Amino acid sequence: MQSSYLPATTESIALAQEAKDASESISILYRVLEDPSSSSDAVRVKELAITNLTNYLTKENRAEELRNLLTQLRPFFALIPKAKTAKIVRGIIDAVSKIPGTSDLQISLCKEMVEWTRAEKRTFLRQRVEARLASLLLETQEYTEALTLLSSLIKEVRRLDDKLLLVDIDLLESKLHFSLRNLPKAKASLTAARTAANAIYVPPAQQGTIDLQSGILHAEEKDYKTAYSYFFEAFEGFNALEDPKAIFCLKYMLLCKIMVNHADDVAGIISSKAGLKYVGPDVDAMKAVADAYSKRSLKYFETALRDYKAQLEEDPIVHRHLSSLYDTLLEQNLCRLIEPYSRVEIAHVAEMIELPIDHVEKKLSQMILDKKFSGTLDQGAGCLIIFEDAKTEAIFPATLETISNVGKVVESLYMRSAKIMA
């Protein structure tokens, strides 16, 4: 960086844009920011220079320089309105987040800015930076620190009645409690976010995030039909905005269809106009799971898990439902294998399904207790005996109903005779 400054004029900005490479542009913009002039035109040009410099540094992946830029700009922030300062600070923090592998740097940067905003008494900016810090702590699984930060922040924001920020914080708190497996508190925070959102205009992206979180919580409660509705609403919102979150909503929609035994609908959703837009590994992974589910094939399911590990097992939401889906598939597979038999060796069933005998025996006994089929295990002979489904005679329920009605008549007559005798 050269020591002599350039005047903060539009000509200097044009010079930076015409430079041969990004490094030269960055050098010119730094020199523009060194201009001591504080006139309104110079301040306006410097704001433009900061925006351009932030873009260049982001493209060059210079995260540390972006951090230093925030420190360097502190004297300049005294010359501009607080709202513009907040916009610039949040813009630079967002720029750092676009550079991969900078989670720790973002956290330390946010902590620095919180200290500075507290010293400068910039409450509006501090609250937003603290909310961003809590979000980063949640991503890095620092749950205790994030919860402590949010607890104090949410009380402060509720006193100020800043509804828009309150929606963000309540939503963040809901995600945090969900990560800690505290479902009641996660639902309570989400309800608080919805209540705050109803009182103001909520941007479509934020409304989509609320719907997405609602879907996740309903799916956790096994209410997949309601979850699908929320995921669909979120998908439509994000799709209109061309937000990358749309692919996750589509994936969860397909998961809900599989979980409610409507795996055949998956192909139709994927081949729709909106679905074709997102064809890729995530959609292919759910299609493979749906195919395995339709064919009741445990082998295909395990193949899908192996081939699409990143999309299935590494996605925390999908991974939560995989064990349930695996159990369902295992039950369906066992039912398909034992269908032709009235008596079959457990070892033979284990051989056909390619699983250990003790695992198969345990699952079969659980299915009998859950009344998935009628049968018993003959452990002495190592056999499974399947009974035919007993047909309930239609006369029995009718007889019981008649006896019940006669009892009511006798009781009524008794009450009347008791009144006459009295």
Side-chain angles (χ1 to χ4, degrees), residues 10 39 44 58 61 83 114 150 153 290 298 335 363 365 412 418:
T10 51
S39 66
R44 184 174 50 78
T58 306
N61 289 344
V114 166
L150 278 179
L153 182 60
L298 210 60
C335 286
K363 189 63 189 174
S365 64
S412 175

Side-chain angles (χ1 to χ4, degrees), residues 5 44 52 56 74 99 116 131 146 150 160 166 188 190 195 197 223 231 233 297 308 330 336 367 381 394-395 415 422:
Y5 69 84
R44 184 174 50 78
N52 291 349
Y56 281 122
R74 286 178 187 179
I99 300 171
W116 178 75
L150 278 179
L160 295 171
L166 196 58
L190 182 62
T195 306
D223 184 1
F231 288 138
E233 290 290 333
S297 171
Y308 298 101
L330 180 55
R336 179 170 59 85
M367 287 169 72
I395 194 169
M415 294 294 289

Side-chain angles (χ1 to χ4, degrees), residues 22 28-29 53 66 89 131 142 200 245 248 250 261 271 296 320 336 381 383 385:
I28 292 168
L29 291 169
L53 182 57
L66 281 167
V89 169
E142 297 285 343
I200 55 166
K245 289 180 185 174
F248 294 106
L250 179 60
N261 206 17
S271 59
R296 297 194 291 185
R320 287 183 198 280
R336 179 170 59 85
C383 289
I385 301 163

Side-chain angles (χ1 to χ4, degrees), residues 381-408:
C383 289
L384 170 69
I385 301 163
I386 300 108
F387 306 138
E388 286 186 17
D389 290 335
K391 291 180 181 178
T392 308
E393 292 290 342
I395 194 169
F396 295 147
T399 306
L400 286 170
E401 191 179 349
T402 305
I403 292 167
S404 175
N405 290 336
V406 169
K408 288 176 184 175

